[in-house]
Amino acid sequence: MTSYLPERGDVGKAPIDERKVPSRLIRLKETDGTWVCNMLARDIVDSHIHLFPRAELQSLAWCKEGHPLYGQHSIEEYLEATKGLSRVSDQKVQGFIFIETDRKSHLDNEAGWDEPLRELDWIKRIADGTPQIGEGHEPQDAHLCLGVVLWAPLPSGVDVVKRYVDKVKERASSTWQLVRGFRYLIQNKPRGVMLTDSFIDALRWMGRNGFTFDLGVDARSGGHWQLNEAVEMITRAHEGLSEDDKVKLVISKNPSDNVVPKRRDQHGSLAVEPFNDWKVAMAKLASFPKTYVKISGGLSEIDPLPPQAEQGALDSDARAELLQKTGSWVGNWLKETLTIFGPRRVMFGSDWPVCNIGGGGNNVGWINWWSVTNDFMKDNMNTEKQADFWSGNAMRAYGVDSPPVAR
């Protein structure tokens, strides 16, 4: 049965027939039982952004002075990055999933949790609408935070993870319901970390308690062994469990290696290398029904866009030509991902502000990635499937309700 995709502002009477009106698009009015549509089917839930205030830059494990992202990246900067959308589309960004930013941490003792818990305090201020002076967000921005994925010490095992999550719950207080999952970055770790019994047991506990696990690997920089280990990891984490108890796996970005022409041959020409190993590993991961993947991080895989793009010096024809070339480079990657996972398990993620590196900078990085993915999805998906890609799949993966109406 084809769903009815309401327009923003449409109203109707409850009860709602889920087969006709996707519930993620509506918000019930408690007074008279009617519903109101507060987002277009193609409105956007950005499944992957990072936020950090200037005052806490020293707590980031990777961001030293001189780094391209050294500086405040808060709601103010994110809204600046996305404002160009209104000039080219009727879509709106309804909200985002916040992903932890790799703060300094260690597994030796609970002192290693200090900075990740400080990050929780930061995102709580955003979600609660209680900014501190100079943090770059306002009370009216609170509705944008739809879900939170925090760091967790998974290699330490179930007992430690339980103790950590209890501390998160206590500290999050009213924001606890936004904590949808946890992440422990694998991309810069040695082989075998995600295959220890402690790590696997922690994943199994997360599944039984309804948390997602965001998998952060990087086959391009770290090697395909990371994907192969991920297949073994999720196989063991799901073994013997009911479908309800199996942890949802969300691949943080499509961890491609030879999918796009990053490297140049001896003549200086872009060289496309085979990516069969990547396809095989991704197909194995996709064989687990509770695995999702983000269409994210593509601009960091190709040659950087020129400085003129950031400076606004490209005319419309030059920009269109540049983005068309970019789209052709990542087209195979997008096509294979969609083929492997299907339209119900792929989701849009900007990876902001990382998308600014190679994407032309904050003025155009987000909108450039949106343009590339939008062109591809329009050519390869019908309207309903596009609605899943832009918002529905992220909301399903993270268990997020319809975004509240902005106040």
Side-chain angles (χ1 to χ4, degrees):
M1 178 180 293
T2 300
S3 296
Y4 159 60
L5 299 179
E7 298 294 325
R8 199 182 288 116
D10 284 0
V11 297
K13 272 288 186 183
I16 303 158
D17 188 342
E18 265 283 331
R19 297 171 300 172
K20 296 180 180 179
V21 183
S23 63
R24 71 178 185 277
L25 304 182
I26 61 93
R27 176 65 58 179
L28 281 176
K29 287 183 175 180
E30 297 179 1
T31 51
D32 59 3
T34 62
W35 56 261
V36 61
C37 175
N38 65 302
M39 62 183 286
L40 289 176
R42 292 182 69 254
D43 278 355
I44 297 169
V45 171
D46 192 338
S47 70
H48 197 102
I49 80 164
H50 308 286
L51 299 164
F52 41 91
R54 183 180 296 104
E56 298 179 15
L57 289 174
Q58 298 305 316
S59 75
L60 299 172
W62 50 272
C63 194
K64 306 293 188 293
E65 192 168 354
H67 190 283
L69 298 180
Y70 190 83
Q72 181 154 288
H73 289 81
S74 187
I75 300 294
E76 181 179 346
E77 290 77 20
Y78 180 71
L79 294 178
E80 180 69 21
T82 61
K83 73 177 184 181
L85 184 64
S86 63
R87 294 194 291 267
V88 293
S89 174
D90 61 353
Q91 290 174 278
K92 289 184 178 181
V93 178
Q94 292 284 351
F96 57 77
I97 307 297
F98 168 82
I99 307 296
E100 63 93 16
T101 57
D102 193 18
R103 299 248 182 159
K104 294 175 181 176
S105 62
H106 62 75
L107 303 174
D108 298 339
N109 51 51
E110 292 190 10
W113 306 349
D114 289 349
E115 292 301 339
L117 290 173
R118 189 181 178 198
E119 180 168 65
L120 168 61
D121 295 340
W122 149 247
I123 196 64
K124 174 177 167 57
R125 292 196 296 274
I126 292 176
D128 285 347
T130 56
Q132 294 181 357
I133 295 174
E135 283 193 328
H137 61 101
E138 302 293 338
Q140 61 266 27
D141 299 327
H143 73 280
L144 292 170
C145 186
L146 302 178
V148 174
V149 174
L150 299 171
W151 176 89
L154 271 71
S156 298
V158 173
D159 290 341
V160 174
V161 169
K162 280 183 182 179
R163 198 160 67 246
Y164 172 78
V165 172
D166 284 343
K167 194 172 288 285
V168 167
K169 185 175 182 179
E170 178 183 2
R171 198 137 161 180
S173 185
S174 60
T175 314
W176 168 245
Q177 74 275 9
L178 294 180
V179 178
R180 309 313 304 161
F182 296 95
R183 184 170 84 151
Y184 182 84
L185 273 178
I186 300 296
Q187 62 192 42
N188 57 354
K189 303 299 189 298
R191 294 173 186 260
V193 169
M194 64 178 125
L195 298 182
T196 63
D197 289 343
S198 296
F199 201 101
I200 299 298
D201 288 345
L203 286 177
R204 291 168 70 85
W205 178 86
M206 284 174 59
R208 289 192 295 269
N209 286 274
F211 296 114
T212 65
F213 174 62
D214 262 56
L215 175 67
V217 296
D218 188 347
R220 179 175 63 80
S221 299
H224 279 287
W225 66 266
Q226 295 187 359
L227 288 177
N228 295 331
E229 283 199 357
V231 173
E232 182 180 347
M233 174 199 75
I234 199 63
T235 301
R236 291 171 57 193
H238 282 186
E239 189 174 18
L241 296 180
S242 68
E243 200 62 29
D244 288 343
D245 286 343
K246 293 176 181 176
V247 67
K248 285 181 185 175
L249 179 69
V250 181
I251 302 174
S252 285
K253 64 178 181 178
N254 201 342
S256 51
D257 179 5
N258 301 325
V259 181
V260 288
K262 180 74 175 179
R263 304 180 182 133
R264 293 182 179 274
D265 63 21
Q266 59 182 335
H267 306 295
S269 300
L270 289 167
V272 180
E273 302 174 22
F275 53 99
N276 285 339
D277 290 345
W278 170 84
K279 285 166 42 177
V280 168
M282 293 299 279
K284 289 179 180 177
L285 288 169
S287 70
F288 297 90
K290 297 183 79 169
T291 300
Y292 296 77
V293 66
K294 298 175 183 180
I295 301 298
S296 177
L299 293 181
S300 63
E301 301 289 334
I302 62 174
D303 284 359
L305 299 181
Q308 302 96 297
E310 163 70 353
Q311 297 162 3
L314 293 176
D315 61 33
S316 58
D317 290 341
R319 183 175 180 276
E321 182 181 354
L322 183 64
L323 290 179
Q324 184 178 21
K325 182 169 68 173
T326 301
S328 68
W329 287 345
V330 300
N332 283 343
W333 168 44
L334 297 176
K335 183 177 180 180
E336 290 297 338
T337 302
L338 185 58
T339 299
I340 291 169
F341 282 86
R344 296 271 288 177
R345 290 192 288 154
V346 295
M347 65 187 79
F348 174 77
S350 68
D351 197 20
W352 185 88
V354 181
C355 64
N356 294 341
I357 302 175
N362 199 58
N363 288 345
V364 293
W366 191 97
I367 198 69
N368 281 343
W369 183 237
W370 171 88
S371 297
V372 169
T373 53
N374 184 58
D375 287 347
F376 178 85
M377 294 306 163
K378 283 195 301 185
D379 291 341
N380 290 275
M381 284 183 170
N382 63 29
T383 302
E384 280 192 65
K385 291 176 181 177
Q386 287 182 55
D388 281 334
F389 170 72
W390 291 115
S391 63
N393 293 340
M395 296 169 76
R396 187 180 310 110
Y398 288 108
V400 173
D401 293 330
S402 175
V405 179
R407 292 187 174 88

